[in-house]
């Protein structure tokens, strides 16, 4: 499967390039939240993009940019379905009851597809922090099965008070103003803005129309923990099986992986479970492979995480520079991981991008470039 | 994304089907410990239990069979009651109950079903654009055909819009179609092998 176009917006700026530069230089985008008053919450920081456009406007611009990068014609766009990852607009439940009916994430996605000139169907993933990565995996599976030549996968989340208040109540937010993934003193996550889009296409289709292939989506896997409503399985059972499935599809051995873009939220249980999964899935290579969580720079972007982080992985493999685990050069000794502390060159052209979510949902993507 | 073509090509079929409420049933499904303010989690759990009890009698399902069973939760509007409770707490400046955090995404209750029944396949939640049942079947079919699952529990759930309108849910246990059989003109979910009894003795709920 080929990725022929991509775009992103984050607190690091508009486009993949400012995000990539921040990620490889380890420049976190966290600051005191300005979008609403955080005075009554435990935490106060997040990663906000300074722009004032709505999520719908940013998504439309992002999809258009990715389709333009993929050099899709009007006719090709009209035959390309949209897979969208998002949650319902918090404004919906604040509407009078008689106006709420008909307002859904699905409705927003249909409007996005129309405004971006996309046709051929819409599907909306609401699977929390694996929504974006599940949409990418499904897009690859749909193309692999020959059902579509290409699909557009878009995802978006802009930091809002409802989710800030929820994560704060769940004591999941860091009070330190930094997200210290895999650190011995990690204390929680910080939320961040993201809008991201990729065009997933068969290699034959890309070659047939002369499109430049940005990267290969070589493998994908999705699996569950069957363990808990919100906690990951401490042995990382679902993530292990997702990684193994992704490597099998890609036809790669663990030692072929030169970089892991981890889910790495900076929460104690999640980082620990992910580390165990890496060791179980990769064996001895799990101790050696360079790992980083780019959430240390752009924050946790919820439904958009999988797509935003995929664009970073593609750019890192293209540039042969790895994103660092910002602010945390050495991992918690109990985790046994080798973090990316500077900007080394990846030893291979293959990388893993991992995501996990409440309910024990896990995804793994293998990217090659 | 859920065309008639996709349905007729489906490689999977419905083995068990259950609904909530069944004929003659009224009232909310039994509350689920750990979830508050909303009937949505109980709705999903009740219809999932009703469906999976036919298949496995008592939870969890047999391992390793469950390792290959996915959970697909399809809801156009999701858990509106939880979202409303969150909005009220924010807008009124009152304390946000921490339990709302843990139930604020559809994965949470899907994960509760998965943990209770030992279903360790993929968890996918969607807000359907078209026909909810066709979309759920299409996703299950993709997971099975793609190889990350051998079967999937598809739950369709929507809360009522008015006080008098009941919440409604349907659960479909979908497995790979037997070799040699083919999807007919009808949607495969119209022809389940087993329809779960409409009334479950919740007093004897397996634990």
């Amino acid at each position: 499967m080929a990725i022929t176009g991509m775009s992103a917006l984050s607190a690091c700026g508009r486009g993949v390039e400012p995000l990539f530069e921040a990620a490889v230089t380890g420049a976190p985008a966290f600051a005191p939240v300005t979008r609403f008053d955080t005075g009554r919450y435990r935490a106060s920081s997040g990663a906000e993009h300074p722009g004032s456009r709505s999520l719908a406007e940013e998504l439309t611009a992002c999809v258009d940019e990715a389709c333009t990068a993929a050099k899709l014609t009007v006719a090709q766009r009209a035959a390309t379905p949209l897979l969208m990852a998002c949650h319902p607009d918090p404004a919906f439940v604040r509407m009078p009851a008689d106006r709420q009916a008909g307002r859904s994430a699905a409705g927003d996605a249909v409007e996005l597809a129309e405004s971006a000139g996309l046709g051929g169907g819409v599907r909306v993933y609401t699977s929390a922090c694996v929504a974006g990565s599940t949409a990418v995996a499904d897009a690859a599976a749909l193309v692999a099965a020959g059902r579509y030549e290409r699909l557009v996968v878009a995802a978006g989340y802009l930091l809002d008070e409802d989710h800030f208040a929820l994560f704060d109540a769940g004591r999941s937010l860091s009070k330190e103003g930094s997200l210290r993934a895999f650190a011995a003193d990690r204390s929680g996550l910080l939320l961040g803005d993201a809008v991201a889009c990729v065009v997933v296409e068969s290699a034959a289709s890309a070659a047939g129309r002369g499109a430049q292939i940005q990267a290969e989506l070589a493998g994908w896997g999705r699996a569950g923990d069957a363990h808990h409503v919100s906690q990951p399985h401490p042995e990382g059972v679902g993530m292990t099986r997702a990684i193994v499935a992704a490597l099998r599809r890609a036809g790669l051995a663990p030692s072929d992986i030169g970089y892991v873009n981890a889910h790495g939220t900076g929460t104690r249980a999640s980082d620990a479970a992910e580390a165990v999964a890496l060791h179980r899935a990769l064996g001895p290579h799990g101790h050696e492979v360079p790992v980083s969580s780019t959430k240390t720079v752009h924050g946790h972007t919820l439904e958009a995480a999988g797509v935003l982080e995929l664009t970073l992985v593609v750019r890192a493999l293209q540039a042969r520079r790895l994103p660092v685990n910002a602010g945390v050069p050495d991992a918690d000794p109990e985790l046994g991981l080798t973090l990316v502390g500077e900007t080394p060159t990846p030893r291979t052209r293959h990388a893993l991008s991992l995501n996990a979510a409440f309910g024990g949902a896990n995804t793994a993507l293998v990217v090659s470039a | 994304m859920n065309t008639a073509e996709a349905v007729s090509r489906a490689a999977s079929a419905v083995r068990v089907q259950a609904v909530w409420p069944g004929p003659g049933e009224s009232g909310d499904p039994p509350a689920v410990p750990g979830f508050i303010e909303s009937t949505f989690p109980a709705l999903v759990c009740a219809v999932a239990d009703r469906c999976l009890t036919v298949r496995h009698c008592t939870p969890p399902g047999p391992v390793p069979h469950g390792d290959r069973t996915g959970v697909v939760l399809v809801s156009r509007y999701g858990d509106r009651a939880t979202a409303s409770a969150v909005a009220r707490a924010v807008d009124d400046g009152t304390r946000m109950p921490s339990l709302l955090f843990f139930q604020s995404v559809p994965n949470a209750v899907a994960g509760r079903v998965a943990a209770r029944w030992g279903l360790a396949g993929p968890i996918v939640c969607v807000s359907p654009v078209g026909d909810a049942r066709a979309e759920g079947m299409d996703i299950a079919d993709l997971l099975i055909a793609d190889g990350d699952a051998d079967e999937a529990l598809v739950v369709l759930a929507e809360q009522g819009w008015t006080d008098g309108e009941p919440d409604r849910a349907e659960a479909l246990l979908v497995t790979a179609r037997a070799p040699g059989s083919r999807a007919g003109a009808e949607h495969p979910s119209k022809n389940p092998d087993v329809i779960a009894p409409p009334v479950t003795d919740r007093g004897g709920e397996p634990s």
Side-chain angles (χ1 to χ4, degrees):
Chain A
M1 279 343 95
I3 295 172
T4 53
M6 61 182 192
S7 59
L9 172 137
S10 69
C12 304
R14 194 175 297 280
V16 176
E17 211 55 36
L19 173 67
F20 174 65
E21 284 304 319
V24 295
T25 58
F30 302 116
V33 171
T34 60
R35 207 164 283 161
F36 48 87
D37 182 7
T38 61
R40 62 191 173 102
Y41 302 116
R42 296 169 64 251
S44 59
S45 296
E48 296 173 297
H49 182 266
S52 58
R53 294 202 293 197
S54 69
L55 179 59
E57 291 169 329
E58 293 293 4
L59 278 163
T60 301
C62 208
V63 169
D64 186 63
E65 184 183 342
C67 291
T68 300
K71 295 185 168 51
L72 294 180
T73 65
V74 171
Q76 287 163 344
R77 286 194 192 201
T80 301
L82 170 68
L83 304 188
M84 176 78 191
C86 64
H87 56 245
D89 188 333
F92 292 167
V93 295
R94 291 174 167 85
M95 292 177 173
D98 61 341
R99 289 182 54 206
Q100 287 185 29
R103 303 303 301 266
S104 65
D108 281 355
V110 170
E111 291 177 8
L112 170 63
E114 289 172 353
S115 64
L118 299 176
V122 173
R123 177 166 292 162
V124 182
Y125 292 79
T126 56
S127 317
C129 313
V130 298
S133 52
T134 300
V136 170
D138 281 9
L142 287 163
V143 172
R147 287 179 58 180
Y148 299 97
E149 284 190 336
R150 79 188 65 82
L151 298 97
V152 167
V153 182
Y157 168 70
L158 297 182
L159 204 160
D160 68 305
E161 187 168 1
D162 284 9
H163 286 84
F164 192 93
L166 281 168
F167 278 84
D168 193 77
R171 296 185 175 263
S172 290
L173 294 181
S174 166
K175 294 188 289 185
E176 316 303 327
S178 61
L179 191 160
R180 297 178 55 75
F182 303 115
D185 63 351
R186 60 191 182 276
S187 61
L189 59 85
L190 292 171
L191 297 172
D193 289 346
V195 180
C197 181
V198 294
V199 179
V200 178
E201 183 165 9
S202 73
S205 170
R209 62 187 189 85
Q212 182 182 359
I213 294 176
Q214 304 278 333
E216 181 189 358
L217 189 56
W220 55 91
R222 357 156 169 67
D225 284 345
H227 174 64
H228 194 265
V229 168
S230 57
Q231 293 295 315
H233 193 293
E235 296 299 315
V237 296
M239 182 61 85
T240 301
R241 288 189 293 113
I243 295 170
V244 169
L247 289 174
R248 186 181 65 246
R249 279 195 180 87
L252 296 176
S255 59
D256 293 324
I257 297 299
Y259 168 60
V260 176
N261 186 290
H263 186 58
T265 58
T267 53
R268 297 210 68 81
S270 180
D271 285 7
E274 188 171 17
V276 173
L278 280 169
H279 295 307
R280 291 183 64 182
L282 302 182
H285 192 57
H287 293 274
E288 304 160 0
V289 64
V291 175
S292 70
S293 166
T294 52
K295 290 183 178 71
T296 54
V297 169
H298 53 65
H300 192 351
T301 62
L302 304 184
E303 284 86 353
V307 185
L308 184 82
E309 291 158 19
L310 174 60
T311 68
L312 256 179
V313 172
V314 169
R315 190 69 192 93
L317 291 176
Q318 289 173 336
R320 300 195 59 74
R321 295 170 67 199
L322 296 183
V324 303
N325 200 69
V328 185
D330 299 311
D332 180 346
E334 293 185 4
L335 304 182
L337 298 177
T338 299
L339 300 181
V340 184
E342 296 179 358
T343 55
T345 301
R347 283 172 289 183
T348 77
R349 54 182 289 267
H350 310 290
L352 272 170
S353 185
L354 308 180
N355 289 101
F358 272 13
N362 303 275
T363 62
L365 304 174
V366 176
V367 185
S368 305
Chain B
M1 297 299 292
N2 46 32
T3 61
E5 181 273 330
V7 169
S8 67
R9 190 208 53 252
S12 54
V14 175
R15 300 304 178 200
V16 185
Q17 183 177 19
V19 296
W20 185 285
E25 284 184 311
S26 61
D28 292 336
V32 179
F35 293 88
I36 60 173
E37 296 275 359
S38 174
T39 56
F40 187 84
L43 176 70
V44 172
C45 290
V47 79
D49 277 0
R50 184 166 284 183
C51 184
L52 292 170
T53 297
V54 171
R55 177 62 175 270
H56 299 307
C57 295
T58 56
V63 175
H65 193 74
D67 280 356
R68 303 277 302 159
T69 303
V71 179
V72 179
L73 178 52
V74 183
S75 180
R76 192 179 316 275
Y77 300 105
D79 187 346
R80 290 183 292 109
T82 293
S84 294
V86 170
R88 278 196 307 275
V90 168
D91 296 348
D92 296 346
T94 55
R95 188 185 66 82
M96 180 73 73
S98 61
L99 285 177
L100 289 182
F101 172 57
F102 302 109
Q103 70 184 58
S104 60
V105 292
N107 289 47
V109 68
R112 198 272 183 185
V113 170
R116 174 171 164 79
W117 289 92
L119 313 180
I123 290 178
V124 182
C125 304
V126 295
S127 171
V129 170
D131 180 81
R133 187 184 303 177
E135 183 133 355
M137 285 292 295
D138 200 35
I139 292 170
D141 194 56
L142 181 67
L143 291 176
I144 293 168
D146 193 44
D148 276 351
D150 292 335
E151 64 177 22
L153 176 72
V154 178
V155 177
L156 322 169
E158 297 294 345
Q159 294 180 296
W161 283 95
T162 63
D163 286 344
E165 182 183 357
D167 298 347
R168 296 189 183 282
E170 181 175 7
L172 310 166
L173 187 61
V174 180
T175 67
R177 188 176 293 278
S181 66
R182 68 176 188 85
E186 277 195 301
H187 191 289
S189 66
K190 295 283 177 59
N191 301 296
D193 291 350
V194 179
I195 298 176
V199 179
T200 297
D201 179 9
R202 296 290 296 183
E205 181 185 7
S207 58

